[in-house]
Amino acid sequence: MTKLGLPENIAEIWDREIVRVTHDLPDNPLFSDEALTELVANNPDAVREIATMDTSVEDKSRWRASDISPDDPQGLFNAVRSGALWVNIGHVGGRDARYQKLIDDIMDQIDDAVPGPASYSRQIGILISSPRARVYYHADVPGQGLIHIRGEKRIWLYPGHEPYLKPEELERVVTAVTAEEISYDPSYDAAATVIDLTPGTALFWPLNWPHRVVNADSLNVSATVEYHTPKTRRHFAVNYANGVLRHGLGVTPRSRAIGGAGFWGKAAFAYACRKSGLARRLLQSARGA
């Protein structure tokens, strides 16, 4: 079992503030060079993205796909050590049950400490990145955490409201009109919480909070956590419905409430749009914009 160190007040601050956690995964052989090389060798199609970037500036236009292939895992790892690369291995638990057991164990411990419905749809991903690599300013859709295992990195976390996160930009991410791109201004840094992550530390933060990351001068290995709860699914439904209304029908939404008759109407609308393919058709022009 993974040994976690949880804050004593986790029940009060969960999903409201940044939660700092300690863990013993740096000692877990599943994250050794040999195990990660084997994971990629057995599942090259699980490598969602191999990207490179300009490590000196916060400019997402400098983020681009690398021409390195996951079919040569050893060559990939050598390139990560010497280059400016970010490798995202996704849905690892579905490829290797040992990783799913690990993330379920971690989330079970957190659920036991936090009142309310348990988390579900838990996903673990693995990020392997070069010295000085960076991930530009973005926001994620599900509940999110970052478990740091090897190397050192600095993360900036920003409040999940305007101007740092604009509703229309979040809607574009939720409806997949864009990937995770949201607009960044250096002035936002004054409101950021800046945390240096070292092996054996982890962070969980409130839903959709924007963040960016810069590695220190060391190869980094981290595990990402994605999960849902009834509350996160309600937020997804209302943002999805609002996104279709705004970007597909040209109607400005008036509410982001996750309860009441208006919410349930939007939840039904979101479900129908997704299942019928209507959202895809309505948003096609927005995706091409």
Side-chain angles (χ1 to χ4, degrees):
M1 174 181 285
T2 303
K3 184 177 181 180
L4 295 186
L6 302 177
E8 292 183 0
N9 65 338
I10 187 172
E12 288 74 42
I13 65 175
W14 183 259
D15 201 33
R16 297 180 179 88
E17 302 176 20
I18 299 166
V19 175
R20 307 187 192 209
V21 175
T22 61
H23 60 87
D24 60 1
L25 292 187
D27 300 323
N28 192 310
L30 287 176
F31 297 96
S32 68
D33 284 357
E34 295 76 17
L36 295 175
T37 301
E38 181 182 6
L39 177 67
V40 173
N42 292 337
N43 306 280
D45 58 330
V47 179
R48 288 180 169 180
E49 187 174 9
I50 303 173
T52 187
M53 76 295 295
D54 186 328
T55 62
S56 64
V57 294
E58 184 69 20
D59 181 356
K60 62 188 64 178
S61 69
R62 307 291 183 92
W63 182 276
R64 59 192 183 277
S66 167
D67 58 3
I68 296 174
S69 169
D71 294 331
D72 176 14
Q74 192 59 60
L76 174 60
F77 277 74
N78 291 339
V80 171
R81 289 186 180 91
S82 61
L85 294 174
W86 180 85
V87 180
N88 178 9
I89 311 172
H91 290 194
V92 174
R95 307 304 183 108
D96 189 318
R98 296 174 298 172
Y99 292 94
Q100 188 63 45
K101 184 178 184 302
L102 183 151
I103 204 62
D104 284 338
D105 174 40
I106 288 173
M107 293 308 298
D108 284 346
Q109 291 182 61
I110 292 174
D111 285 348
D112 287 345
V114 177
S119 60
Y120 60 92
S121 295
R122 301 156 172 175
Q123 301 278 357
I124 177 172
I126 296 176
L127 304 177
I128 306 166
S129 51
S130 300
R132 298 174 300 282
R134 63 172 62 210
V135 177
Y136 299 123
Y137 190 76
H138 69 285
D140 297 295
V141 174
Q144 193 80 190
L146 183 65
I147 302 173
H148 196 53
I149 299 164
R150 294 165 58 184
E152 297 180 352
K153 63 176 61 195
R154 176 169 290 180
I155 184 170
W156 287 254
L157 288 152
Y158 302 78
H161 56 71
E162 294 187 274
Y164 318 102
L165 180 65
K166 300 175 180 64
E168 58 270 25
E169 292 189 334
L170 177 60
E171 293 160 10
R172 290 174 69 90
V173 175
V174 169
T175 56
V177 169
T178 62
E180 298 169 347
E181 294 91 349
I182 55 176
S183 56
Y184 167 75
D185 189 296
S187 65
Y188 295 172
D189 288 358
T193 300
V194 185
I195 299 172
D196 289 323
L197 286 172
T198 55
T201 57
L203 298 175
F204 292 83
W205 52 83
L207 185 66
N208 304 139
W209 273 29
H211 48 284
R212 63 186 184 92
V213 181
V214 176
N215 286 359
D217 194 15
S218 55
L219 181 140
N220 277 238
V221 176
S222 303
T224 59
V225 184
E226 295 183 357
Y227 63 90
H228 278 293
T229 65
K231 183 178 179 181
T232 68
R233 292 303 297 179
R234 286 191 177 209
H235 279 287
F236 174 86
V238 75
N239 282 309
Y240 194 95
N242 284 352
V244 175
L245 289 170
R246 187 192 307 268
H247 303 294
L249 294 172
V251 176
T252 301
R254 296 183 179 180
S255 172
R256 301 177 69 196
I258 59 170
F263 162 75
W264 288 111
K266 285 184 177 179
F269 174 68
Y271 179 84
C273 284
R274 294 180 70 204
K275 290 298 182 181
S276 67
L278 177 62
R280 177 178 52 79
R281 295 191 294 273
L282 290 174
L283 296 168
Q284 186 172 5
S285 61
R287 290 191 177 100

